[in-house]
Structures are given as structure tokens and as C-alpha cells.
Amino acid sequence: MRFLTGISESKAFRGSKTISWHQSYRYLLAPLLIILLAISPTLVQAHEASTAYLNLTTADTDTTAKNNYNAEYEVSLRDLALLVNIDGNGDQQVSWAEVKSQQALIAQLIAAQVQLQSNGTECQTTDFAPLAINTRGGFNYLYSNFTLSCDAPIDNLDYQILAGVDANHRLILTQADSQLPLQVLSVGQTPLGTSEGAGVGWLSIASNFLQSGVHHLLIGIDHLLFLFVLLVPAVYRRKQKQLVAVAKPKAALIEVFWIATSFTLAHSITLSLAALGLVSIPARFIESLIALSIAFAALNNLVPMLRVRAVYLAFVFGLIHGFGFANVLVDLPLATSERVLALLSFNVGIELGQLVFIILVFPLALLLRHTSFYKTVIFYLGSLVSIVIALWWFVERAFIG
């Protein structure tokens, strides 16, 4: 904590007694520990959005096999490890031998929790091929291939992988023979119909990825934490190394507008480059950089190292976060036109999610900006806790995940 003691004394607002940070931080240690304990489950599970992939194709075109399907299912090994013990020696590194030793159990899990149905009857899983390991965005995925025998065309999916374990888990379903070629699904039961009528497939893609963008931003704890550490100081101005609340809300609103605009512009650039396949950077590296960007921005709140406006930090680090957003769109089996539509819809969804977060958080910051509670707990303690969380994420993503 010594690096904090050099911060100069800050006068409490509107007649309150003067209090220095190095005098007050001792009283914050207890609530800090309570907060860290409360968020410990989040710390353990903090990584980029959990996504699995299911691709369905008709197995044959003759009349006797018209309701048979080939299914290819991929789930990340670290998600699978939450359900099956595939790290027998506990060294945080899953080997092929460890996966192979659990092949029967994994096949049973997939058959039980990835259930496709026709007319209310469950399709039978047959010909479960040997498992394999695939790589997506620098992370290892389990690849499974099996055949489904159905009484009629598939019309429903009951997907329960990670149910009750990770509420943010998503399945990207592709159906080559459907006019709804791609859907982004949550855990639970979902009707699977084929659309009739031109343009419905495009409308489905736009709707799916608009919702996915909103969801991705609002459940992306790391992205929200980054916005938090940028928004918290927006109601202050530094004068002679002291934090002074802005006199009029308009100044703070303008600052937030430029922060949001800068972040949007930056992540839109790199999101587009990555989603269109023009630039490819391993997801593990990007996610680690995102964690470091949060830690740096929060530390800059406490000890200003770069005396620049938050709008510039938002742009520079927003370029990194854009690559993180793009992980949802990379490797999707979409034509160029469909990928562009998905990209635009997803980006609009991210902006809507960002707007929701700002509307919820910033008015409170304006109301509390003159209070010692906001300055001590929200600004100082909030920035400190953000550093701790972000550094843990960095270790988890760079060395553990």
C-alpha cells in the first residue's frame, strides 16, 4: 500500500473536515476484504464469454434417411472441466490422455444435455465418433461428432450444458439446411423452426446479434469494470493535485459523452477488423491485455501517471477491448454479407448495453459527487478493488486459464 501514501491530502467537500488518503485507508481495509470475499466466485470464473458451437447437417437425402442428421458439437475444455474431471493430476493443464480417459463420460454428458427433439420425441444419438481437440482463438475446444436419428424433422433443442453453473454460457447453432442458418441461444429449451419468406433469415441474424451484443456488454464484467474506472473520475477535476467536484453537471455529462464516443469508435475499429478476418490476435493474449488495461486505468485514478483526459485512455484501451468483443463473431460459418450484418447488429447491441450501464451508474455519480462517501468509497476504494480484481484476471488468463 505504500505507493498510495504519496497522494496528497484531499479536502472533503462543503465544510467537512479534512482527511488524507493515507489516514483513511486503514478504515477501508475491512470493507475491502468483505468485498473481495463477496466477489470471489466472480474472480474464479472471470474470463471471456463462454461459447459452444453446434452445427447440424442432414445426413442423407434419400427417403429412408431424411430425418437423420450429422451433429458437430464443440465446447471449450475449461468449460468442460467444470462438469467433468479432465484434469486428473490437477496441474491446470489438460492433456489428450486425460480427455481420452473420460471419453465415455463426456459422450454421456453431451447426449444427455444436448438433446434435439422432433414432435416432442427425443432424437436418438448414435455413432458417437472418437473425440478430438480443436483450437479456436487460441483456446482448446473439445470436438465431438455424432449422428442423430429422428422420427421427424428436428423442431426443438433442449440445451442444458453448464445449466446452473454459468448463466452467461451461449450456444451458437448453425443449420446448413435452414433458412435460419445461425442462432445464438441460451441454456434451456428453444424451438427450432425453418422460416418461410425472403429476408427472415437476415432478420433473424440481425435480431440475434443485436441481443447478443447487449447481453455481451452487460454480462462482460471486465468491460463494465473498465467503463466504471473511466466514469468514476468524470465528476471530478484535478486542481493542484486535489480532486474537486465539478460545479455543474453539464461539464461531467460532456466528459462522459466523449468517453463513451471514444470507446465506441475505438472498439468498433478493432471489432470490425477482427470479425472480418483482417486481423487475428490470440484470444488469450487479448483477454490478458484487457485485464491489464483495467488495472492501469484504475491505478491512474489513484496515482495519475498519464496526465491525459480519460477520453484518450478510453480510445487506446478501447482498441484492445474491440478484439475481445470480436471473439463472439470469429469462426462463425457466415457468408461475407451475413457476417457484416451480424457485425453491425452486434456493435449496435454493444452500444445499447453501454448506454444502459451509463444511465444506471452516472446519475448516481452526479448526485453523490460532493459527498465524502463517493470520494472515499466509490472513487478510492472502488479503484483499489478494481486493481485487485483486474490483476487477478490477468494472472488467471495469462497463466491459469
Side-chain angles (χ1 to χ4, degrees):
M1 302 287 293
R2 289 184 178 178
F3 71 93
L4 295 173
T5 58
I7 299 178
S8 60
E9 292 190 351
S10 54
K11 296 180 180 179
F13 298 105
R14 298 193 173 183
S16 299
K17 66 178 182 178
T18 301
I19 184 170
S20 64
W21 171 246
H22 72 272
Q23 291 174 330
S24 62
Y25 81 86
R26 292 173 296 177
Y27 302 102
L28 301 177
L29 290 179
L32 172 59
L33 291 175
I34 293 174
I35 292 174
L36 290 177
L37 288 173
I39 63 174
S40 58
T42 299
L43 292 177
V44 172
Q45 301 177 19
H47 52 72
E48 84 274 7
S50 172
T51 304
Y53 302 83
L54 176 62
N55 180 45
L56 297 177
T57 55
T58 302
D60 206 327
T61 57
D62 62 55
T63 55
T64 62
K66 65 179 179 179
N67 295 320
N68 284 359
Y69 298 85
N70 287 325
E72 298 173 290
Y73 177 70
E74 294 181 68
V75 62
S76 72
L77 289 184
R78 64 181 178 184
D79 284 340
L80 183 64
L82 298 174
L83 304 172
V84 179
N85 182 17
I86 53 174
D87 184 16
N89 58 13
D91 64 352
Q92 302 293 328
Q93 300 293 327
V94 178
S95 67
W96 169 239
E98 289 174 317
V99 172
K100 191 175 181 180
S101 68
Q102 298 284 12
Q103 178 162 306
L105 182 59
I106 293 171
Q108 292 175 13
L109 174 74
I110 294 174
Q113 299 194 2
V114 185
Q115 294 186 0
L116 289 126
Q117 303 166 350
S118 61
N119 292 336
T121 302
E122 180 182 336
C123 297
Q124 297 301 309
T125 301
T126 60
D127 300 330
F128 207 104
L131 300 175
I133 294 208
N134 190 17
T135 300
R136 286 178 175 268
F139 292 97
N140 289 328
Y141 275 70
L142 177 84
Y143 174 87
S144 58
N145 186 296
F146 49 94
T147 300
L148 294 166
S149 179
C150 309
D151 295 335
I154 291 174
D155 57 18
N156 191 72
L157 168 64
D158 185 8
Y159 184 73
Q160 297 297 331
I161 293 289
L162 292 178
V165 178
D166 185 354
N168 300 323
H169 180 69
R170 287 292 180 268
L171 174 72
I172 294 180
L173 170 68
T174 53
Q175 302 174 84
D177 305 320
S178 171
Q179 292 188 36
L180 295 175
L182 185 145
Q183 291 175 270
V184 182
L185 308 175
S186 303
V187 173
Q189 294 206 28
T190 304
L192 303 179
T194 56
S195 65
E196 299 179 0
V200 178
W202 284 57
L203 180 61
S204 174
I205 290 175
S207 175
N208 268 316
F209 280 94
L210 177 68
Q211 296 175 45
S212 183
V214 174
H215 178 267
H216 190 74
L217 191 285
L218 293 180
I219 61 94
I221 302 175
D222 48 3
H223 302 302
L224 293 180
L225 191 61
F226 180 69
L227 288 173
F228 169 80
V229 297
L230 290 180
L231 293 177
V232 162
V235 295
Y236 287 143
R237 294 290 180 269
R238 290 189 183 272
K239 292 184 178 180
Q240 298 179 347
K241 298 183 179 181
Q242 304 251 349
L243 290 175
V244 179
V246 294
K248 297 181 180 180
K250 182 179 179 180
L253 288 171
I254 292 174
E255 180 72 3
V256 168
F257 170 80
W258 285 115
I259 289 173
T261 301
S262 179
F263 185 66
T264 296
L265 177 61
H267 77 62
S268 296
I269 293 172
T270 48
L271 170 59
S272 300
L273 292 174
L276 296 176
L278 301 176
V279 178
S280 178
I281 300 178
R284 183 185 297 273
F285 178 70
I286 289 299
E287 296 299 324
S288 300
L289 283 183
I290 288 175
L292 286 181
S293 74
I294 299 168
F296 182 87
L299 181 60
N300 197 62
N301 286 349
L302 300 177
V303 186
M305 296 168 290
L306 295 179
R307 296 189 178 278
V308 296
R309 289 175 56 193
V311 62
Y312 300 116
L313 290 179
F315 183 83
V316 173
F317 292 136
L319 293 172
I320 299 173
H321 285 245
F323 285 113
F325 290 137
N327 288 335
V328 176
L329 303 177
V330 173
D331 293 333
L332 293 183
L334 293 174
T336 300
S337 57
E338 295 170 335
R339 186 176 293 274
V340 170
L341 176 61
L343 170 63
L344 293 175
S345 303
F346 187 73
N347 208 27
V348 170
I350 288 175
E351 305 325 314
L352 291 176
Q354 179 177 282
L355 182 61
V356 169
F357 179 75
I358 291 174
I359 290 175
L360 291 176
V361 172
F362 196 64
L364 292 175
L366 284 175
L367 289 174
L368 299 174
R369 69 187 189 278
H370 290 293
T371 65
S372 58
F373 170 81
Y374 183 87
K375 184 177 183 182
T376 303
V377 177
I378 304 300
F379 181 83
Y380 282 126
L381 181 58
S383 296
L384 182 59
V385 171
S386 298
I387 294 171
V388 175
I389 295 174
L391 289 179
W392 171 255
W393 283 342
F394 172 73
V395 172
E396 181 190 45
R397 295 170 180 184
F399 305 107
I400 300 177

